[in-house]
Amino acid sequence: MKTNSTKLILILVFLAVLTGCGKIKEFNNDAPSGREIGIALFKCNCAPLVQETVQDAFIDEFFTNTNSKPIKGENGYITIQGKISIEEGHTASSSGLLLGSSSGIGGGSSGSSATGVYVTGITIQAYKNGELIATHSIGQNLGNGKLVAPVSLAKKAANYISTVLVRQNEIGRK
């Protein structure tokens, strides 16, 4: 029994060290401030407003949380490009009875649903001197009954990419 406890403690310590290394690397960052990050208009067969919203969410993330200088377009020390995928569909909805209606006891329950065109995913690539240095994909499945706004998906994706670039010492945190 004591051997299993010792092994478990060693594994937990090992995992803590591995997961903590990325955070520690962010503190040891000496990337100069003001590096321009060109954020292109993401490709999409959708309304231009959706493309601009995703681009603006990336600009907001980089401006707010890094020491870089985000700019619109494809000219920068690092360039962020991507694609937005859209689909038409509806969220899952549910309804049911508690304790059955024939007994006269209990009640009903129902869920809500959304229908229409929505962003299913965003893919991102970060390039430096034409070379891919970071990539990420994020998406949503309406089967879980929740619809996430394009801004929310874009902010999560931008946060992930900015964290990767900080850990690579390309940019720094504020």
Side-chain angles (χ1 to χ4, degrees):
M1 183 72 175
K2 190 171 185 175
T3 307
N4 288 339
S5 298
T6 306
K7 285 181 184 178
L8 180 61
I9 290 171
L10 287 174
I11 290 171
L12 290 175
V13 168
F14 180 71
L15 289 174
V17 168
L18 280 180
T19 57
C21 287
K23 290 288 184 190
I24 292 170
K25 197 166 184 180
E26 286 185 37
F27 294 122
N28 201 17
N29 184 302
D30 60 354
S33 63
R35 284 188 170 163
E36 288 187 347
I37 306 296
I39 300 173
L41 196 61
F42 284 32
K43 294 177 183 175
C44 180
N45 187 16
C46 59
L49 183 61
V50 174
Q51 292 173 291
E52 292 173 23
T53 299
V54 169
Q55 183 184 40
D56 290 344
F58 270 76
I59 288 171
D60 179 55
E61 174 66 28
F62 278 87
F63 181 78
T64 305
N65 297 316
T66 72
N67 68 359
S68 67
K69 180 182 175 188
I71 57 172
K72 289 187 178 190
E74 297 183 21
N75 297 322
Y77 175 76
I78 294 173
T79 302
I80 306 288
Q81 299 176 349
K83 293 180 183 78
I84 305 166
S85 58
I86 59 168
E87 289 291 328
E88 187 170 346
H90 63 277
T91 61
S93 63
S94 62
S95 61
L97 298 172
L98 300 174
L99 300 175
S101 63
S102 61
S103 66
I105 303 171
S109 67
S110 65
S112 61
S113 67
T115 302
V117 177
Y118 67 99
V119 173
T120 58
I122 300 172
T123 59
I124 307 105
Q125 298 86 33
Y127 293 92
K128 177 181 167 186
N129 299 324
E131 182 181 331
L132 181 67
I133 60 171
T135 185
H136 184 59
S137 298
I138 189 168
Q140 66 176 326
N141 181 348
L142 292 187
N144 64 10
K146 294 182 180 176
L147 184 61
V148 179
V151 169
S152 297
L153 280 178
K155 284 205 142 305
K156 286 180 185 178
N159 181 271
Y160 181 89
I161 286 293
S162 69
T163 300
V164 169
L165 294 176
V166 167
R167 289 181 181 165
Q168 291 177 354
N169 208 31
E170 296 292 347
I171 59 175
R173 289 275 180 225
K174 280 189 175 178

